[in-house]
Each structure stands twice: as structure tokens, then as C-alpha cells.
Amino acid sequence: MRTLLKGGTVVSGSGQKRSDVLMEGEKIIQMGRDLEGGDQTVDVTGCLLFPGFIDAHTHFDLDVANTTTADDFYTGSRAALRGGTTTVIDFACPNKGESLHYGLDLWHKKADGRTFCDYGFHMTIDDWNEGIRAELPDMFAQGISSFKMYLTYPAMMIGDRDIYWALKELKTLGGIAGFHCENAGVIDGMIAERKAVGELGPSSHPLTRPPYLEAEAVSRLLRIAQAADAPVVIVHLTNREALREVAAARKRGQKVYVETCPQYLLLDESVYFNEDYSSAARYVCAPPIRNKEEQDRLWKALRWGEIQTISTDHCSFTLAQKDMGREDFTKIPGGLPGVETRGELIFSYGVAKRRISAAKMCQLLSENPARLYGLFPRKGVLRPGADADIVVYDPGASHVIRAEDCVANVDYNPYEGFVTSGGIRQVWLRGALSVEDGKVLAQEPAGKYMARGKNSL
């Protein structure tokens, strides 16, 4: 079966071009003006055709904070597909004392045969010893080329020495690591002070995790990376002080890649100071949402190329789960849903408002993550030979975001009431029409595991 998308404008990381797209099976086979030869022709006149979006930061079916995320791979990937994300890279998270192989096997059991979009895994390293080091070559053999380490959270964090050794080993193997950067010790001290005076509500969350403690951890991590002479990714970066540390490292000649998330671009810290507990607690995540001035700086960083990717850090909980911290803000499960709305939000509040171009959006959501995480050119670009993962974006299909319209397994949406500029008309996953006009057409999970190569960004 050959399918011809006719009349659209193809968006790439370098610009836009009027082009038809001919698909056969799972691949794009031809592009150009006035193509013929489709067994079926789909009129996409007036629409933008983006490569399928890649979300390189999701947490599906994760046991954390004495509960489990509301979205597993079945519901989370279905939500991702509806939002134009045709590939997710989730985090396989063995606990301390468990092997990397155990963690990878467990995540395959969670995801295989239950995922609607294509998927891969990063591997979390929260122990460092000879056994973990010896496992790394086989991780690469199984398609894992990226890893994550934490500078906070006692159950996951490892020390500076072990980060240094791990980075040196990953560099030798050609891998890359991403880091959650916050100063754990000072944050714990600030939390203890708040608790001592009985300030236990959600408003204490941002006050105990200030932006300068994120920036300090970014600075420390980048000096460790300098010593190891290894590239790193800073995940979910939120503020200008952290960006200054990245700029200084780049000036020293270091390779540093940066990710941010929609919540840091579109929401501000006032959400934590709502007197209604549930209305505030639903926004608890780490690092916290910052002020509007930080939002503006992040948009400029995106436009100027200082930030390479926008992922979601999709880590969803129901309002009942968020209620676990009603008497103690540190017990509120941290994380927000976002995988379903990212594409429309970035287009509406980035491209439509001329903060970034459509080409830049393509870089941030498709091309750069594909290159950074070893999926390019199979993913992240529309060209002959690439997977036929296509988001058909209709600039005339504006609508209001409502939780009741979403398919993620949560009972609220952080962006409730946001008005989009246009909307996603269709999503094609490897040549199959999987979403149309907001409805997920795929009846059964058809996602494939993506073994990944080395960074090519």
C-alpha cells in the first residue's frame, strides 16, 4: 500500500518546503512537488508536516514515593501518540543493589507489547561498582547508549567520585549521561527548617529548592565532567543561573547539551501559592516551576540555540495520589503529565507567538533528540528512507485543552484552559494512520523497541 500526503509543507530543522510525501509500508520512499502514484491520497493542503516528535524524558510505570505513576506504558504511550510523539525514551530504573540487566529486563516486561508508539530506554545508574562497570558493554549491545544519574534523591543519587568514574567509562564506550542537578544537602537543610516551623504546605516546595541550588549542582557536575573530559546532558533545566554555568563550560570547550520542559516555559511559581491544597499540590515537581522572568530567559535560550531539546519529564499522578502529601509537602509525589500536549503547546506558545520558528520547533522536538540519542536518520527527519512518522499540523484547528478530552490516565491537566493555535490533525506511525482529529485510531499497541546508536548531534 502506497499512501500519498499531498499539498502540505514539510518542516525540517533548516526550514520549510512545499512537498508531497509518498509512503510505502513503514518508510518514506519519495518527496517532492506534484507527486503521483499513491494507492490512497490524503489531502493535507495548508498543513505543516513535522517529523514524528520524540520525547526523550518520560517515566511510565515507575514505582516512586510509595506509589506508582498513574500512566503505564499502555496509557502513557497512547497519550504520547495522540500528542504527536511517535517515539519515547523512558528511564529503566533498577534500585540500588540491583543490576543493570535486571532493570533492563524489568522495563522490557513493562513495555514490550504494551506500547502504542515506538520506544527506547535510558538506563539509570544509581550504584557504581565493578559489577555495574562490567555490565555497560552489554547495555550498548542491547541498544542502550544513554544513561542518567542523580545529584539528589537518596534512593538514586551517587557521589562525585562515582560520577567521575562512570563518566570516564561511558566516554570510552561512546555513551552519554544526563543529570538531574540539584544540591541535595542544602535542600534537605531548608526542608528541615520549614518543617520545624510547621510550614508543611505545597508553597514550601519551591522555597526549599531555589534556582541557585540547581545552578550550583549544574556547576559542580560540569566541573566533574571537565575532569572526566566527557560530554553530558543537563535534563529539565529551569533557570538563567544554570544557563550561565552551561555557557561557561562551553566556553572552556566542553560538550554540554541542555533539555527543558513545557512546564518551565508556560507555568510560573504562583501555582504553588494557591490556598486550595489540591490546586497547588498537582504542580509539585522537581526542579520546581520558576518565575516568569525565568520563562522568558528559557524562550530566548531556545531561540538562540542554548537549549537543544524540549522533553516533558512526564511523571503522572492522580489527584488522590497527590493528596498523600496533605500533611507534609515532601510526601507529595513529584511530577506532571505532559506527553499528550507538548507539541500543540510549543507550536501555540512558541511558533505562533514568534518566540521560535517552526524549524526550531522541529529541531527541539524531533531532529535534535534523534541525533542526541542515536535514532537519526531513521527518526527525527522526513526524507526518503526514514520511518514514515509524520505529524500533520493544521494551523486552523485551534481548541481549548481540557483534561476531559485527554487520554492520559490522570484526572487533571496542568494546562487546563490553554487555547491552542491550530492542532494536530493526523499522526502517522511508520506509515500507519494512528491518530485523526484527536482520536487514537490504533486499537492495539504497535510500538517497536528502538535499539539506539551513538550520539550524532
Side-chain angles (χ1 to χ4, degrees), residues 300-373:
K300 290 177 182 177
L302 291 167
R303 186 167 67 250
W304 298 338
E306 296 174 338
I307 297 175
Q308 283 66 54
T309 66
I310 301 174
S311 301
T312 63
D313 195 7
H314 181 101
C315 190
S316 61
F317 300 96
T318 65
L319 294 180
Q321 289 175 296
K322 289 284 187 177
D323 206 50
M324 294 166 59
R326 187 170 286 273
E327 305 301 326
D328 177 354
F329 70 95
T330 65
K331 295 181 180 179
I332 301 170
L336 303 178
V339 76
E340 192 166 351
T341 51
R342 177 184 56 149
E344 291 184 342
L345 287 171
I346 298 305
F347 186 91
S348 301
Y349 293 89
V351 178
K353 290 187 176 296
R354 299 187 177 181
R355 287 167 163 150
I356 59 173
S357 66
K360 178 62 71 174
M361 175 175 161
C362 180
Q363 291 175 17
L364 293 163
L365 269 61
S366 303
E367 185 174 322
N368 285 352
R371 289 183 181 276
L372 181 57
Y373 295 116

Side-chain angles (χ1 to χ4, degrees), residues 25 28 113 132 137 228 253 315:
I28 296 171
I132 297 295
C315 190

Side-chain angles (χ1 to χ4, degrees), residues 139-162:
M139 292 296 104
F140 283 83
Q142 296 192 50
I144 307 293
S145 56
S146 53
F147 300 78
K148 185 180 182 182
M149 287 174 268
Y150 290 82
L151 275 67
T152 188
Y153 302 140
M156 298 177 177
M157 63 187 292
I158 62 175
D160 293 353
R161 181 200 65 183
D162 291 343

Side-chain angles (χ1 to χ4, degrees), residues 53-60 73 77 80 85-93 103-104 106-108 110-112 115-124 139 142-147 369 373-375 378-379 389 429-430 447-453:
F53 305 141
I54 298 168
D55 193 341
H57 194 152
T58 63
H59 296 285
F60 297 154
F73 278 86
S77 66
T85 292
T86 52
T87 306
V88 297
I89 309 178
D90 201 82
F91 290 90
C93 299
L104 181 57
L106 178 59
W107 251 256
H108 272 296
K110 292 172 184 271
D112 293 354
T115 306
F116 280 84
C117 62
D118 288 345
Y119 61 98
F121 303 125
H122 309 284
M123 178 59 64
T124 295
M139 292 296 104
Q142 296 192 50
I144 307 293
S145 56
S146 53
F147 300 78
Y373 295 116
L375 290 166
R378 180 175 181 179
K379 306 287 189 183
D389 297 344
L429 174 65
R430 285 181 279 104
K448 289 185 176 181
Y449 172 67
M450 295 286 113
R452 297 178 292 112

